Amino acid sequence: MSNEVSLSLSPSQDELWKTFHARVNEMIVTKAGRNFFPKLEYIVTGLDPQKLYAIMIQIKPVDEFRYRFTNEWIQSAKPDPQAEIKKAYHPDGVRSGKEWMEKPVCFEKVKITHYVSTDAWIITLLSMHKYVPVITIYETLSSNPFVATSSNQVVISTSIPHTEFIAVTAYQNPYVADLKIKYNSYAKAYRKENQENNRKRRTPSTADYSADESNSNSPQPPKSSRASSSSPPALNSFPSFPFTINPFLFPFPNFTQTTPPTLIPPLTFPFQLFPFLNPHSVSLPSGSVEEQPEIPEEEIDIMH
């Protein structure tokens, strides 16, 4: 039965893996875990359509060496102690052979890290070590692939040579980094960071904001210059007085000596609706006050 079952990469992913393998592929490992690119997408053929199967993936070391990059990858020392190889079953669980063969089998949930993780989908690897994904297909009678029973038989366990990679915390080979940026649609953030680093390496100029950004829709940063900044508006000076004020002798200056401003004429009303509002238009009623006759000085009797 095992001779009839075959496992291969999907055509689109197979071509990408071969392209990266020619440059010695690298995979970034992070604390939170990083997905694989190219993807681990397989085509399975030769299974019995009526039987039940579970598919598992493991990331195994290729050799017992640690690597370093000096324009090329070379073996540098003995490897560090490896953690226990984790088994990650496909999330579809147990399916019939017909269901597994109907569409590609993709392990898109699997991530790799250089920290110890208890997550079932995050596999711990050592940086600067070479690994290869290994796919194992089990024939089982149980609906739970996590239960190991004597009825579980290994149908096939194989790896594809050009899916080998070296785990790194940062890309070492610039050609591999360029390939990741070119083919991975999720590498836009790294692409922008790379362009930013290239701009910083160039000599800055007052009229240079990079031709790469000329076609972008993002707003350009404003150009500011200390020399071209506008000065604050001039304030009106206080009016000068034609005399000197001594604050100790005259706490309040005599403003009557200054030129008086133009006086606003008093408000007058054309009618006598509110005569008390217009003092100039108020007239005393006739006969209300009697005029007293003047008494000559000689007629005043001071004795009485």
Side-chain angles (χ1 to χ4, degrees), residues 82-219:
Q82 295 281 347
E84 182 181 357
I85 300 176
K86 183 179 290 187
K87 299 178 180 180
Y89 285 88
H90 195 276
D92 287 350
V94 175
R95 293 287 184 271
S96 65
K98 178 183 178 181
E99 291 174 313
W100 285 121
M101 294 185 293
E102 281 179 346
K103 58 183 179 180
V105 179
C106 184
F107 289 89
E108 57 187 359
K109 289 188 176 182
V110 174
K111 297 182 179 181
I112 51 178
T113 181
H114 57 303
Y115 282 77
V116 177
S117 176
T118 58
D119 193 299
W121 301 106
I122 300 180
I123 300 176
T124 302
L125 304 179
L126 295 176
S127 178
M128 311 302 282
H129 290 69
K130 185 178 287 188
Y131 296 90
V132 63
V134 178
I135 304 298
T136 303
I137 302 178
Y138 292 91
E139 179 185 342
T140 179
L141 299 178
S142 171
S143 59
N144 188 352
F146 304 101
V147 178
T149 63
S150 57
S151 60
N152 293 343
Q153 305 180 44
V154 176
V155 176
I156 185 175
S157 182
T158 184
S159 61
I160 300 175
H162 56 269
T163 58
E164 295 179 357
F165 64 91
I166 296 179
V168 295
T169 55
Y171 291 121
Q172 305 297 308
N173 190 343
Y175 293 103
V176 173
D178 291 340
L179 288 175
K180 298 277 186 175
I181 295 173
K182 179 179 179 181
Y183 292 106
N184 189 0
S185 59
Y186 294 97
K188 294 180 180 179
Y190 186 84
R191 186 184 299 114
K192 292 179 180 179
E193 180 182 351
N194 212 23
Q195 293 176 355
E196 183 67 21
N197 292 336
N198 292 336
R199 286 197 297 272
K200 290 180 179 179
R201 294 189 189 100
R202 294 197 298 268
T203 303
S205 61
T206 57
D208 179 26
Y209 266 112
S210 173
D212 296 338
E213 294 186 350
S214 60
N215 297 328
S216 64
N217 296 326
S218 58

Side-chain angles (χ1 to χ4, degrees), residues 270-282:
F271 49 86
Q272 299 296 330
L273 180 61
F274 301 103
F276 58 88
L277 297 178
N278 190 355
H280 300 279
S281 62
V282 176

Side-chain angles (χ1 to χ4, degrees), residues 249-275:
L249 298 179
F250 303 98
F252 298 99
N254 186 6
F255 290 100
T256 57
Q257 297 181 8
T258 60
T259 303
T262 304
L263 297 178
I264 302 175
L267 182 63
T268 60
F269 294 87
F271 49 86
Q272 299 296 330
L273 180 61
F274 301 103

